[in-house]
Amino acid sequence: MNKLKIAAYLSLLLLLTGCWDNLELINRAFVMGVALDETEKGKVQLTTQAYNPSRGVQGEGGGGQGSQNYINIRTTEDSVNEAVRDIPRHIGRKAQWGHLYVIVISEEFARNQGLEEVLAFFFRDHEPRLTASVVITKGKAADFLEMEPLMEITTGQQLSENEEMSHKYSQKTIDSNLLKLAIQTRNQVGNGLLPYFHKIEHASETSPTVAGITLLKKGKMVGNLPTEKAERLLLIRDEYQGGMIQLPCKNDPSTIEVIEIVSAETSLKPIIKDDSLTVKVSSEIEAVLQQLTCSKTDSPEAEKELEKRLEQYIEKELEKTINVLQEKQFDAMDLGDKVYAKNPSVWKRWKKDWDQRFADSEFEFDVQIRITSSGTSSGKPWFSE
């Protein structure tokens, strides 16, 4: 290779070095989480949590405020974009959104202002992750970023992990992020579902916990589903990854038995007839016994009896959940999209009054359960002979 070519390659390498926007690391504030609240005057209050490298390793300095690996910056403007522009005024760095974990929005903000316009920044800007969690809070969203993280380095990371793991292992809420929310709100129905956070008190400490699902219609919050109904909705949506079912005893409803669902597959089949809609909800479930109190499965007949009782119980629970959604006229299982896929011409006629049609639809339930294991003990109550 001659000297001229070498010089040309070196020149190209020099052009490729450095940051694309001429900002070095010391000019950036890496955002971990943001909180959106509404002020009394209707303005946007943005709380931005940025990683603070000057604090060093987590825990260094003996704990407390001095050892936090993050700082919270609060800015108030008419829009999210203007509030973001004000961040450098406070910390002397430009916010960098490539490491954003969570967007926390207060219930008041979600009800009054809605999410479509305020989330536009996070959708349009090239830096934020579309995998960033989006959650709704009971009370001020900023308060949740002020809580110290229990396991993670920053509160933003902690809230994101709480949401993901609660959905994955306890089925207490739905898993959502910017991408999933965009898909939900742009389908045929346009309804959205987000996790719901609230505070719990531990002696002198306050920590966040996630349970329940927030219902969004046209970008605004219109209600909540409590924890139990949230679990049933996940089963209907075929998003149930496994959880516990508490089955009341036949002769004593105050006493329960616990069965773990290890796998579940659910399908929704819309049947259109005479301008009306019937929906068949079919679930196939595999379960294992966790706590037997009043039943025995030490014979095939006894096991079948327990399976039948469990099937009837889950069918009633699914029906109750659908009834709640129909009362709210809120299609939370993307049923409208299934009608559209089945018969686009019918959907074209039904779309304008879909909420009422959904409320008037008939649902039929068919749950099939197979108990695959009784654990390490026999199929009878632990303390029985």
Side-chain angles (χ1 to χ4, degrees):
M1 183 179 295
N2 59 41
K3 293 182 179 180
L4 185 61
K5 287 184 177 180
I6 293 175
Y9 285 133
L10 289 175
S11 299
L12 289 174
L13 289 174
L14 289 172
L15 291 173
L16 293 174
T17 59
C19 299
W20 72 272
D21 57 0
N22 298 320
L23 290 177
E24 301 296 335
L25 287 177
I26 57 173
N27 301 129
R28 302 171 184 270
F30 292 92
V31 178
M32 302 284 108
V34 295
L36 290 163
D37 290 293
E38 183 182 38
T39 69
E40 293 181 358
K41 296 182 179 180
K43 290 181 176 289
V44 175
Q45 185 180 82
L46 181 73
T47 302
T48 306
Q49 185 168 99
Y51 179 69
N52 186 1
S54 66
R55 298 299 180 188
V57 180
Q58 185 183 23
E60 191 175 287
Q65 184 70 22
S67 65
Q68 286 182 343
N69 285 25
Y70 58 87
I71 57 171
N72 291 331
I73 309 103
R74 191 165 294 178
T75 53
T76 302
E77 286 290 350
D78 292 323
S79 68
V80 172
N81 298 66
E82 284 299 317
V84 168
R85 290 286 182 178
D86 282 351
I87 293 174
R89 295 172 49 205
H90 298 270
I91 58 174
R93 294 191 178 198
K94 178 184 180 296
Q96 209 285 339
W97 301 90
H99 298 272
L100 178 65
Y101 281 92
V102 66
I103 301 169
V104 188
I105 304 167
S106 70
E107 180 175 340
E108 181 183 17
F109 192 104
R111 287 186 183 276
N112 295 339
Q113 295 205 25
L115 307 187
E116 290 187 0
E117 291 185 14
V118 297
L119 290 181
F121 167 80
F122 301 101
F123 284 119
R124 293 181 182 277
D125 193 271
H126 67 280
E127 289 183 351
R129 302 175 175 182
L130 288 179
T131 55
S133 300
V134 184
V135 305
I136 304 296
T137 64
K138 183 178 182 179
K140 287 196 66 174
D143 293 347
F144 287 78
L145 287 186
E146 297 294 340
M147 301 179 191
E148 291 192 22
L150 298 177
M151 297 291 290
E152 307 300 330
I153 295 177
T154 66
T155 314
Q157 291 171 283
Q158 183 72 64
L159 295 175
S160 180
E161 289 296 317
N162 282 15
E163 178 266 318
E164 182 180 348
M165 294 302 165
S166 177
H167 167 72
K168 187 173 182 179
Y169 293 109
S170 66
Q171 306 296 295
K172 304 297 184 185
T173 191
I174 196 165
D175 182 38
S176 187
N177 55 40
L178 280 170
L179 178 59
K180 291 179 179 179
L181 181 61
I183 293 172
Q184 288 177 357
T185 54
R186 282 163 175 75
N187 63 19
Q188 290 297 315
V189 178
N191 293 339
L193 304 173
L194 291 178
Y196 188 64
F197 270 82
H198 62 272
K199 305 171 190 173
I200 55 174
E201 303 290 338
H202 298 287
S204 59
E205 295 183 353
T206 303
S207 63
T209 185
V210 56
I213 295 176
T214 298
L215 309 178
L216 301 175
K217 187 184 290 290
K218 296 180 179 179
K220 287 191 175 183
M221 178 178 173
V222 294
N224 275 321
L225 280 185
T227 302
E228 187 177 277
K229 295 294 187 295
E231 290 186 69
R232 309 303 185 245
L233 176 59
L234 291 177
L235 183 57
I236 295 170
R237 287 176 58 87
D238 196 29
E239 296 178 7
Y240 200 79
Q241 299 183 21
M244 301 296 176
I245 298 294
Q246 297 185 10
L247 177 66
C249 287
K250 185 187 299 184
N251 299 324
D252 183 8
S254 64
T255 306
I256 61 170
E257 300 183 299
V258 181
I259 293 89
E260 180 183 6
I261 294 179
V262 294
S263 70
E265 292 185 6
T266 302
S267 63
L268 301 180
K269 182 180 180 182
I271 300 173
I272 302 168
K273 185 177 180 181
D274 298 331
D275 206 43
S276 63
L277 179 64
T278 300
V279 184
K280 290 189 175 182
V281 183
S282 302
S283 292
E284 294 184 2
I285 296 171
E286 289 190 356
V288 299
L289 304 180
Q290 290 291 343
Q291 175 184 318
L292 286 182
T293 307
C294 50
S295 300
K296 294 183 179 181
T297 59
D298 50 0
S299 69
E301 294 76 18
E303 185 172 293
K304 287 294 182 184
E305 182 182 346
L306 179 60
E307 287 176 344
K308 187 65 175 177
R309 191 156 59 89
L310 188 56
E311 288 169 355
Q312 293 173 347
Y313 174 75
I314 293 179
E315 286 177 0
K316 289 181 180 178
E317 289 297 303
L318 297 184
E319 184 177 9
K320 290 177 183 177
T321 302
I322 293 293
N323 288 341
V324 169
L325 293 171
Q326 288 184 306
E327 289 175 4
K328 296 177 180 292
Q329 295 190 0
F330 190 94
D331 176 5
M333 67 281 299
D334 302 326
L335 183 58
D337 286 73
K338 292 177 172 57
V339 173
Y340 170 72
K342 185 179 180 69
N343 195 323
S345 62
V346 169
W347 174 251
K348 187 176 181 179
R349 288 189 288 107
W350 286 5
K351 185 173 182 178
K352 61 181 181 298
D353 60 345
W354 172 245
D355 290 344
Q356 186 61 54
R357 284 188 176 274
F358 169 75
D360 295 336
S361 299
E362 296 291 330
F363 284 81
E364 298 176 357
F365 301 91
D366 179 27
V367 176
Q368 301 292 325
I369 291 182
R370 186 168 69 93
I371 296 176
T372 60
S373 173
S374 60
T376 58
S377 62
S378 61
K380 58 183 180 180
W382 180 257
F383 291 104
S384 65
E385 295 183 358

